[in-house]
Amino acid sequence: MERFNALDRFYTTYAYQKNDLLAKIVKRVDKEQIPSDRISTNTLLAFPMKLFPGAAYRWNDLFDRWVAQKLKGSSGKVFIGWSGMSLHALRVARDKNMLTILERGSSHIQYQDEVLREEYSRYGKTFSVDHRVIAKELEEYSLADYIAVPSNFVRNSFIEKGVSESKLILNPYGASKAFHASKVRKDRKNSKFTIVYLGSLTIRKGLRYLFEAIDILDIPHSDYEVWFIGSVSAEVQPLVEKYKKENWVFFGHINHYELRDHLEKCHVGIQPSVEEGLSMVIPQMMASGVTMIVTPNSGGENIINDGVNGLVVPIRTPGAIASGINRLYTNRTLLQQMGENAAASIKEGFTWNDYGDRYWANIKRVLHG
């Protein structure tokens, strides 16, 4: 929005360039700059949100009310708010005759609750979304003029739950320039075959099916490595202990702006998610020339043309994941071509500028008919 001279105000808890004192103790440096005079922050909420995530509903509601108060003095024409923390702000925006857009980064809250209840039950665990979150989001869905979603998977979950397709704005996420390789490295073809998973290791992400796929690969252990970049959750740690092998490497968290250096050494990326909006690591890895194997529920179908710039497999199918990995391992020419196609497809349609262009076009369309 700033590129189009359309941003009036950005509300958040913390911004690197805005909060000088906190910037000295926060490790992440955000290079995606927005002029600080357009940013309003509430750092009093930044710490409890981080330290007490179990009370997320409370913190989100306080943030929502803070933004709602700020909006009363706004002269803006459009309000865009994140689901679960925008109900009070939406009410104020509508009272001011602003166009309202709700951002939903995952599937419909009821669909999400159902699919994750089912998934956790497979581990003998219970899962449920806070009933207050569900109630609040359902009211947000009803109140907003439009709901912006990142993938067909998310869009279809809303339609299944009775939301009109005409209310949904589809706009897939992108990858920042930090991930764009100038060219896909040819030496990958001859280096040790490396499989990578990027992101938190949780039940929702379908790690069990990746572990089981690795267990049935037709590749000698000495010929490949598996890299895990991200934190291992307590709920998945027992599975890690059950399946891990000597060729598994755990990196933990890696700084966002250092990821490409690792990804450029990898051959195949796996995103076996059971429920997601559009996993942002998919375009990041593709931009780095990594050939992806994803599930439809990862949201990856919107940027992957199966068999051309990656592979799409059904959820909960270790055999299909293993088959895809075996195929790419035995055909390095195909692997290289898919990696090059993946990088090109992100550059040509799925950068963050592309995302912004689509967003601005959609806003103009709904504002002016």
Side-chain angles (χ1 to χ4, degrees):
M1 295 304 100
E2 175 62 23
R3 283 196 301 121
F4 296 104
N5 196 32
L7 181 65
D8 176 56
R9 182 65 51 178
F10 174 57
Y11 300 101
T12 184
T13 54
Y14 162 78
Y16 179 84
Q17 69 270 39
K18 181 83 172 181
N19 307 121
D20 294 337
L21 178 61
L22 288 181
K24 295 178 181 179
I25 59 175
V26 175
K27 292 182 179 179
R28 175 161 181 170
V29 177
D30 191 351
K31 297 180 182 179
E32 311 296 336
Q33 296 294 317
I34 296 172
S36 60
D37 62 352
R38 301 211 206 289
I39 303 174
S40 291
T41 61
N42 187 331
T43 55
L44 292 177
L45 284 174
F47 286 109
M49 281 180 162
K50 181 72 173 178
L51 297 174
F52 305 102
Y57 176 83
R58 178 60 175 161
W59 311 133
N60 289 345
D61 194 62
L62 287 172
F63 178 80
D64 182 3
R65 292 176 185 274
W66 171 70
V67 173
Q69 283 297 117
K70 294 286 186 180
L71 273 186
K72 290 179 180 179
S74 172
S75 59
K77 295 182 179 180
V78 181
F79 170 71
I80 303 170
W82 198 256
S83 69
M85 55 180 68
S86 296
L87 180 59
H88 303 293
L90 282 168
R91 289 170 177 161
V92 172
R94 287 183 66 86
D95 287 344
K96 294 172 69 67
N97 294 316
M98 298 171 73
L99 176 79
T100 56
I101 302 175
L102 185 73
E103 280 284 334
R104 176 61 178 167
S106 297
S107 58
H108 187 288
I109 191 69
Q110 290 176 319
Y111 183 98
Q112 181 186 54
D113 184 49
E114 291 164 5
V115 73
L116 291 183
R117 281 175 184 268
E118 178 187 354
E119 185 64 19
Y120 273 72
S121 71
R122 292 170 175 244
Y123 298 79
K125 298 178 180 290
T126 57
F127 174 89
S128 65
V129 177
D130 188 324
H131 68 92
R132 296 172 299 174
V133 172
I134 294 177
K136 184 173 185 177
E137 291 220 10
L138 291 178
E139 195 169 351
E140 289 173 338
Y141 299 166
S142 176
L143 198 59
D145 294 313
Y146 294 93
I147 304 170
V149 297
S151 67
N152 287 334
F153 168 66
V154 176
R155 184 191 56 143
N156 293 340
S157 74
F158 273 84
I159 294 172
E160 181 179 314
K161 292 300 180 182
V163 176
S164 171
E165 186 174 0
S166 64
K167 189 169 184 169
L168 304 173
I169 297 174
L170 175 64
N171 190 8
Y173 299 144
S176 70
K177 292 180 180 178
F179 292 94
H180 291 283
S182 55
K183 60 180 180 178
V184 179
R185 289 175 45 180
K186 300 292 185 182
D187 61 352
R188 287 187 192 180
K189 194 171 181 180
N190 300 314
S191 61
K192 176 171 279 194
F193 190 73
T194 303
I195 302 162
V196 61
Y197 170 83
L198 172 59
S200 299
L201 280 73
T202 64
I203 288 176
R204 176 182 176 225
K205 298 283 191 173
L207 269 299
R208 168 184 175 178
Y209 310 108
L210 171 57
F211 297 164
E212 292 177 355
I214 294 169
D215 209 38
I216 58 175
L217 287 177
D218 295 327
I219 309 173
H221 289 182
S222 58
D223 289 356
Y224 74 98
E225 288 186 340
V226 187
W227 290 8
F228 295 94
I229 303 175
S231 59
V232 181
S233 68
E235 63 188 21
V236 167
Q237 188 62 50
L239 287 174
V240 170
E241 296 302 322
K242 176 181 178 181
Y243 285 100
K244 72 176 180 180
K245 300 175 176 59
E246 68 280 358
N247 60 348
W248 290 21
V249 182
F250 292 86
F251 289 87
H253 174 76
I254 293 177
N255 182 282
H256 178 81
Y257 297 103
E258 297 173 0
L259 280 173
R260 195 183 81 175
D261 292 338
H262 289 77
L263 295 177
E264 287 187 333
K265 299 172 184 176
C266 300
H267 296 82
V268 177
I270 314 293
Q271 275 296 302
S273 302
V274 173
E275 189 281 327
E276 198 138 9
L278 196 168
S279 174
M280 284 191 279
V281 304
I282 294 174
Q284 289 170 358
M285 289 195 275
M286 290 174 68
S288 301
V290 178
T291 301
M292 296 299 301
I293 300 175
V294 306
T295 62
N297 295 27
S298 72
E301 271 193 319
N302 281 84
I303 55 178
I304 290 179
N305 183 358
D306 185 37
V308 177
N309 62 348
L311 299 174
V312 181
V313 300
I315 62 169
R316 301 174 177 140
T317 54
I321 296 172
S323 177
I325 296 172
N326 287 331
R327 177 186 175 192
L328 295 169
Y329 172 78
T330 56
N331 190 339
R332 295 298 181 96
T333 300
L334 176 65
L335 172 67
Q336 179 70 21
Q337 186 60 61
M338 279 195 180
E340 292 176 359
N341 291 346
S345 65
I346 300 303
K347 278 187 177 181
E348 295 167 4
F350 296 101
T351 66
W352 280 120
N353 278 354
D354 294 321
Y355 173 84
D357 291 344
R358 290 190 295 267
Y359 215 126
W360 182 236
N362 280 319
I363 286 177
K364 289 192 296 182
R365 174 179 60 82
V366 298
L367 268 179
H368 306 299

